[in-house]
Each structure stands twice: as structure tokens, then as C-alpha cells.
Amino acid sequence: MTDRIVTPAAFVPLRLDGRPLTHKVALIFLGTLFLAASSYIEVPLAPVPVNMQTYAVLIVGALAGWRLGAITVIAWLAEAVVGFPVLSGGAGGAVHFVGPTAGYMFGFPLVAAFAGWLAEQGWTQRIVPAFFGMLLAQAICFVPGALWLATFTGLDKAIALGVTPFIVGALLKSALAVCTLVVAKRALAKRSNGAA
């Protein structure tokens, strides 16, 4: 039934509808490893560091679809809550979910779900719609991120410290996400042609 919502032009290679639960659990586990690894690639800024988490969240959502992408991100955040060193710079623990960056983390499942939904609707099949879709998905993260940060700094400072410095990064991460999707699509097409 859920396959009907995916358009024929959709590119969601890791969507596992109808697959065994073990496949889904394995994909979620691998996705959380990818998300954790992305957290270690960072430029420390205060109060919000620049890292590759948002890029990884976009890719997980776009490749796995909205539901499995969001579940994977939630599983990664649950690992962080229990103390695994999976957040920016190897941080972990529930304290990070009440700190200045908590709003961004709560926005991550929405980003993955939106990127996955866009992929299921065929937006990632062409470069320009994919780029703007990935950019819009990141904007979704800025809203709860800036609003939560504003409780610590005030809204003007939250926008100045938690949104403005990340606009160029959002553009670059959107472009990188699109490049990743193009490479993945070509690799899968080449593999399919080689198998045939």
C-alpha cells in the first residue's frame, strides 16, 4: 500500500518496503553510523558548530525515504540521549537535548522526512529541483533551531549566530547532497546494466 505513494520517477534506492525487519534494522544501524561519522567532521563555532550532520541527514532521508529516513535519524538521536559519542565532536548524553543546539537536533527527523518525501515524489531526479528541495529541507531545521536558541540569546542573536553563518554551508551541503544522489544513481544504473 505504501508503494503507491512513490511516483514512478522516484529514486529511493534504500526504501525497504516489503523487506524483512532484519534488513530495515541493519539499514537503520548503518545509517546511524553514517550520521555519527558525519558529526566528527566539524568546524567549531559557538554556540552552534558547523559540521556535516545536516548533509548526512539529507542523504539518509533521500536514499531511504521519508519513513525509514526519519526513523534512522531518531535512532541516532536516541543513541546520543543514552550517552553514545555520536553528536558533534563525539559528544553524547541527554544534556545536549536541553542546550543551545537542541532545536536543530529536534529538527533533524523533520529534515530527513522531508528529504525522503521529496525523493519519493521524484524531486531528486533532476538537479535543480533536487538542489532547491535539499535547501528547503535545511531551512526546516533552521526554524526550531533558531527558535530554541532564541530562548538562550534572544531572537536577533539567534538568527545572527544560529542561521546567518550557516547559509553558505546550507548551499554547499545542498549541492553536495545533489552530487551524491547523482553519483549514487549513476553507480546503480551502471551496476544494473552490468548485471543485465
Side-chain angles (χ1 to χ4, degrees):
M1 182 168 161
T2 54
D3 286 334
R4 293 180 188 168
I5 63 168
V6 179
T7 64
F11 176 68
V12 191
L14 300 179
R15 188 179 170 96
L16 299 179
D17 289 350
R19 295 286 185 96
L21 181 61
T22 53
H23 290 182
K24 294 175 183 175
V25 170
L27 180 64
I28 291 168
F29 175 72
L30 291 173
T32 62
L33 289 178
F34 175 60
L35 288 159
S38 74
S39 301
Y40 283 83
I41 304 168
E42 73 168 354
V43 176
L45 289 178
V48 184
V50 175
N51 57 42
M52 294 301 287
Q53 287 175 341
T54 313
Y55 160 77
V57 168
L58 290 170
I59 291 301
V60 165
L63 294 179
W66 79 266
R67 184 175 291 124
L68 197 55
I71 290 169
T72 301
V73 172
I74 291 168
W76 165 60
L77 295 174
E79 291 173 355
V81 168
V82 298
F84 290 2
V86 297
L87 297 176
S88 188
V95 68
H96 297 285
F97 291 84
V98 293
T101 61
Y104 300 96
M105 291 187 286
F106 286 115
F108 282 155
L110 300 174
V111 172
F114 187 70
W117 180 82
L118 289 175
E120 291 172 3
Q121 302 306 310
W123 277 58
T124 58
Q125 287 286 45
R126 295 185 328 180
I127 291 173
V128 173
F131 175 79
F132 284 108
M134 296 299 111
L135 199 56
L136 184 56
Q138 289 182 84
I140 289 171
C141 191
F142 285 145
V143 174
L147 291 175
W148 180 260
L149 183 58
T151 64
F152 293 85
T153 65
L155 187 58
D156 290 344
K157 249 186 171 175
I159 292 170
L161 297 173
V163 176
T164 307
F166 300 97
I167 293 173
V168 171
L171 292 165
L172 294 173
K173 290 175 192 177
S174 295
L176 182 58
V178 171
C179 290
T180 304
L181 293 172
V182 168
V183 168
K185 187 176 179 187
R186 288 181 181 167
L188 287 174
K190 188 175 180 181
R191 185 176 166 193
S192 296
N193 291 339

